[in-house]
Amino acid sequence: MTRNNSSCKLRTLVFNCSVRQAPLYAVAFLAMLLFQPVYTLLNIRSRTRFSDMSNPDVYSSVCKDLRDSLLVNVPAAVLLLILALVAGISAFRYLHVKNQTDFFHALPIRRGQLFASRALTGILAVLPSYLIGVLLSCAVIAAHGYGEILNAPEIVSSIAVHAVGFLLVYAVAVLSAIVCGNTLVSLLVCGWFQFGILLGWVALDSLLYVLMPARTNSAVVSLWSSPLIDVFQLLRPLGEDAISYEIVGKQAADCMVAVLVIFALAYFLNRIRASESTGMSLAFPAMQLPLKFYMMSVVGAYVGLFFEDMTGSWGMLFVGMACGAFVTACVTEIVYDMDFHSLFCHWKSTVVYAVAAAVVLGVLALDVMGWNSRLPNRADIVSAQLVSDYTPWECTNNTWNQDWDYANFSHDMIQSLNVSSNTYRATYVSDSEPSGLLDITEVQKLRESGNIDRVYASAQLGAQAMRHERGKVSEKLSACDEYGDSVYATYLVRFRLANGKTFERQYIMPADTQELADNADAVRYSKEYLSAGTPEAVAHSKQDVAKIIDVYGCEASYSASKRIDNQQAIRAILDTLQKESLQRDKAYIDSHAPVYYLYVRGRQDMELNGDEYLPTSDGDGDDMIMIPIYDYETQTIAILSKYVDAMPKALRADNIAKIQVITNTADDEPQTYTDYTQAADIAKLLPALIPSGFADCMDQAVYHQAIKNCLSATVYTKDGQEILCECYADRTGGLVQ
């Protein structure tokens, strides 16, 4: 008989509940009216008030802005999130009032029906108002003559994404209201559910980077672990000029799965929830201890990391963690019992937690497992790689592709070693790989035994340093010399082992560690590297897709360059260049400047796929490799001369009338200009002069070392030209100080 009573039908329950929630309906409708059609109207008026709409560019810009504001209306999205929180808590607020709980649970209504009616009421109070607001916004746009921007698939996608985002936040709010017996506590718990997982992962990642500075693989921190931020992640593809419906659909589907799981959990907890839990902080006492420990861990970690970031001391890290965890434990107990006298309640469990945390932190701090200081056996290594944020330590050539910024990965290593920077970085990592980070797999794998030995020796230096003063890493990385350069630098090594596993660590050492630079130089001038890792070798391997060679001299302008586009000539040049580059000698390169440089390009309009891609430059959109040409490469210069009508100008002693060097002085003193006109002085200065256009094509390790004592110079040629150069004083034999 009860089941047939109309009062027990779901639609009747929803109607009755909606009547009681009428204020929420009214607020949602008025708010959506204000933040959608009215906002759109004001946006149109403000954009067109002082704009010349007869100008096609202005009209196009206004249309784009209106489209973006329609599809991704940030104020409306924020309002939707607020209404989701309010609707979720208010729909189940009866669980927090004893007489209401007793009344509803005494009715001949199944709890499942009661849950469904309440959940549907919150959804119906907000989503229809949002939909009406979108339709009215479209009407406003069409009425003002911008109907061309109204694209049905885009609008439907936007509505669906906003609805899914609302449901996700709403489901978390409903779950929070059910697991709590007090409205204020449910708001606090809801906030923790919205951000707690994300904050926990970021805290763990940051803490491990401080205690394990050799660690390279971060705990993947995804913004999808925060329901509130998920909404904006969902909205991001809608802001693109061309919406990828596949991406939008996949992300929305993933969020809908999360919505269904959260609603299912809320439904189950609602069915087993005891009526007597009304008024309690948490309706399920079994949650109290795990939630307390989790909050102690996260808050304690952040307080400790803040102390460490301010002082650079591990001691203050542990003090901060202890203080943060203790205060959190006390506040949590007060909230649980709603009584300040419960400040030290359950102190035994807190002591047990403190002991366990101290043991774990002690193991990490003392490096009991040898994570930071142990290396694999040398005999087990089959290949090695090393990259660094300090150029002289690089076992790679970072000149032939300026856009593959190897140092970016190392800068990220610095961020990971700095607490505040690492927290910022980790917070903004999405499911996709962060842009700009080096994939070390792109760096040449060294397989010659001698090169592996050199990388291994560099790793040994870092591992030995990691046995001491790991707690001062942040302090070291912030130290700078008189030039503003870091006193310490980082480098990353990766070893491929015979069993197929990979060993990867990052280390920090003083920037003046010469052994690391020597090891890197030995690698860069080894036969293995000269055969495959230099720009000459890379260009030679890509000669089938290389379509153009531009030859530049000391004049940096494009008009002064010479172009070769004969494919047979390009192959001959690259073959000859590769053979001569194998004879490269470090002593010669350190004491001589290039006389020419080449741009080896693939035509912009050529389709280069897969492995055929040459590195991409930012300059003109072409694929490009930069190659320096030295005086000793006589065969290459001869073959270049064969295929151009005249070689570009090079710095030659017989064509220089004067060299003017600007000597650096104190900031409050005028600069000193010194002119050199004698043939002997010019001959001595010539190896030290690098034309300004040559800096990007040089071996950056050589360039980095020379620039420490670098002066500006101007070369005056006998035909009246002025060429700006850099003068490396160390190469002048004492002529320039």
Side-chain angles (χ1 to χ4, degrees), residues 69-124:
S69 65
L70 176 64
L71 299 180
V72 188
N73 188 334
V74 176
V78 173
L79 175 64
L80 202 60
L81 299 184
I82 296 173
L83 290 174
L85 296 173
V86 173
I89 299 296
S90 64
F92 289 85
R93 187 177 177 277
Y94 76 94
L95 295 173
H96 307 153
V97 182
K98 178 131 181 89
N99 57 358
Q100 292 187 26
T101 304
D102 293 341
F103 171 76
F104 282 105
H105 287 179
L107 293 174
I109 304 173
R110 292 178 178 176
R111 286 201 181 185
Q113 286 183 305
L114 192 58
F115 174 84
S117 64
R118 290 280 174 168
L120 284 173
T121 299
I123 294 172
L124 294 175

Side-chain angles (χ1 to χ4, degrees), residues 14 18 33 68 105 110 127 134 177 232 236 242 273 286 354-355 357 390 424 440-441 471 496 542 620 647 663 686:
V14 172
S18 298
L33 192 68
D68 292 344
H105 287 179
R110 292 178 178 176
L127 285 186
V134 173
F232 297 99
R236 189 168 58 178
R273 188 181 190 276
V355 172
Y390 185 59
Y424 173 86
I440 194 174
T441 58
R496 187 72 174 177
K542 302 288 185 180
D620 54 11
M647 287 291 286
T663 304
L686 195 58

Side-chain angles (χ1 to χ4, degrees), residues 370-659:
W371 176 270
N372 298 282
S373 56
R374 291 182 184 175
L375 293 173
N377 293 326
R378 169 61 185 87
D380 296 332
I381 300 174
V382 296
S383 70
Q385 296 164 282
L386 188 151
V387 293
S388 174
D389 64 339
Y390 185 59
T391 309
W393 297 352
E394 287 260 50
C395 291
T396 64
N397 189 305
N398 51 13
T399 63
W400 61 271
N401 183 349
Q402 299 302 317
D403 296 312
W404 284 4
D405 190 354
Y406 289 124
N408 275 354
F409 184 83
S410 298
H411 289 317
D412 179 63
M413 291 193 291
I414 292 178
Q415 291 177 348
S416 70
L417 292 167
N418 179 287
V419 175
S420 58
S421 299
N422 177 58
T423 302
Y424 173 86
R425 178 190 63 81
T427 301
Y428 286 88
V429 173
S430 64
D431 280 348
S432 60
E433 286 297 319
S435 61
L437 302 187
L438 166 68
D439 179 0
I440 194 174
T441 58
E442 298 289 351
V443 180
Q444 179 187 5
K445 293 182 176 67
L446 303 170
R447 293 184 171 86
E448 279 188 0
S449 178
N451 285 336
I452 295 176
D453 288 341
R454 295 172 186 120
V455 175
Y456 192 80
S458 296
Q460 284 180 315
L461 291 175
Q464 185 176 3
M466 281 292 176
R467 295 173 185 168
H468 313 285
E469 298 186 332
R470 288 192 311 280
K472 297 184 178 181
V473 167
S474 298
E475 179 182 344
K476 291 178 179 179
L477 289 173
S478 62
C480 296
D481 60 16
E482 58 183 316
Y483 301 100
D485 296 328
S486 297
V487 177
Y488 287 81
T490 56
Y491 61 101
L492 181 149
V493 296
R494 171 182 282 182
F495 296 122
R496 187 72 174 177
L497 306 182
N499 59 8
K501 295 182 179 180
T502 299
F503 178 92
E504 187 175 288
R505 296 290 187 271
Q506 64 183 16
Y507 303 109
I508 174 173
M509 291 288 290
D512 59 359
T513 306
Q514 188 59 38
E515 189 173 346
L516 289 172
D518 292 342
N519 290 337
D521 286 339
V523 168
R524 286 198 302 273
Y525 288 93
S526 66
K527 181 179 180 181
E528 177 187 25
Y529 187 78
L530 292 174
S531 300
T534 62
E536 293 87 347
V538 174
H540 183 263
S541 69
K542 302 288 185 180
Q543 61 177 287
D544 291 339
V545 294
K547 305 300 180 183
I548 295 172
I549 290 181
D550 288 329
V551 186
Y552 283 81
C554 59
E555 299 175 89
S557 66
Y558 175 77
S559 60
S561 67
K562 303 296 181 180
R563 171 160 290 190
I564 300 172
D565 55 10
N566 181 296
Q567 298 305 297
Q568 182 178 359
I570 290 174
R571 288 188 174 88
I573 291 169
L574 295 180
D575 285 341
T576 304
L577 183 59
Q578 169 64 352
K579 291 177 183 177
E580 287 195 300
S581 70
L582 296 177
Q583 310 303 318
R584 184 159 296 170
D585 177 70
K586 174 174 167 44
Y588 182 91
I589 300 300
D590 284 349
S591 58
H592 291 76
V595 290
Y596 305 104
Y597 66 95
L598 309 181
Y599 278 160
V600 182
R601 305 176 186 268
R603 287 188 195 273
Q604 187 173 355
D605 57 358
M606 296 295 292
E607 182 178 359
L608 307 178
N609 296 317
D611 292 339
E612 293 185 345
Y613 261 118
L614 291 172
T616 302
S617 77
D618 288 333
D620 54 11
D622 288 355
D623 297 323
M624 177 188 72
I625 296 176
M626 299 178 66
I627 302 176
I629 304 296
Y630 290 86
D631 248 342
Y632 81 91
E633 295 171 310
T634 55
Q635 295 180 31
T636 299
I637 295 174
I639 199 169
L640 286 171
S641 303
K642 177 181 176 182
Y643 289 104
V644 298
D645 53 358
M647 287 291 286
K649 290 183 179 179
L651 288 182
R652 305 290 184 187
D654 57 2
N655 191 38
I656 297 177
K658 180 179 69 173
I659 299 175

Side-chain angles (χ1 to χ4, degrees), residues 159-322:
I159 293 173
V161 166
H162 281 82
V164 170
F166 167 83
L167 290 174
L168 183 59
V169 176
Y170 177 73
V172 175
V174 169
L175 179 63
S176 303
I178 290 174
V179 300
C180 298
N182 179 283
T183 302
L184 178 59
V185 176
S186 66
L187 290 171
L188 297 175
V189 171
C190 182
W192 189 254
F193 283 173
Q194 298 287 357
F195 297 103
I197 297 176
L198 177 64
L199 292 175
W201 275 114
V202 172
L204 174 64
D205 191 47
S206 302
L207 185 61
L208 289 178
Y209 267 123
V210 171
L211 296 177
M212 303 168 64
R215 180 172 171 266
T216 60
N217 297 318
S218 64
V220 178
V221 181
S222 172
L223 292 179
W224 295 104
S225 58
S226 172
L228 266 176
I229 301 179
D230 283 354
V231 178
F232 297 99
Q233 290 284 94
L234 285 170
L235 293 177
R236 189 168 58 178
L238 297 178
E240 303 293 335
D241 292 336
I243 297 176
S244 174
Y245 295 105
E246 182 181 356
I247 294 176
V248 172
K250 183 180 183 302
Q251 292 180 349
D254 291 343
C255 284
M256 273 306 300
V257 171
V259 169
L260 295 175
V261 170
I262 296 172
F263 268 128
L265 178 60
Y267 174 81
F268 172 74
L269 294 177
N270 183 68
R271 298 221 24 197
I272 66 173
R273 188 181 190 276
S275 299
E276 295 79 6
S277 60
T278 301
M280 298 172 57
S281 294
L282 292 178
F284 301 92
M287 292 179 55
Q288 292 185 358
L289 198 60
L291 185 60
K292 170 186 170 182
F293 285 166
Y294 184 69
M295 288 192 291
M296 289 173 62
S297 301
V298 174
V299 176
Y302 276 110
V303 174
L305 290 168
F306 174 75
F307 279 28
E308 193 275 341
D309 190 42
M310 296 296 291
T311 64
S313 167
W314 273 16
M316 294 306 297
L317 167 71
F318 299 131
V319 170
M321 292 183 69

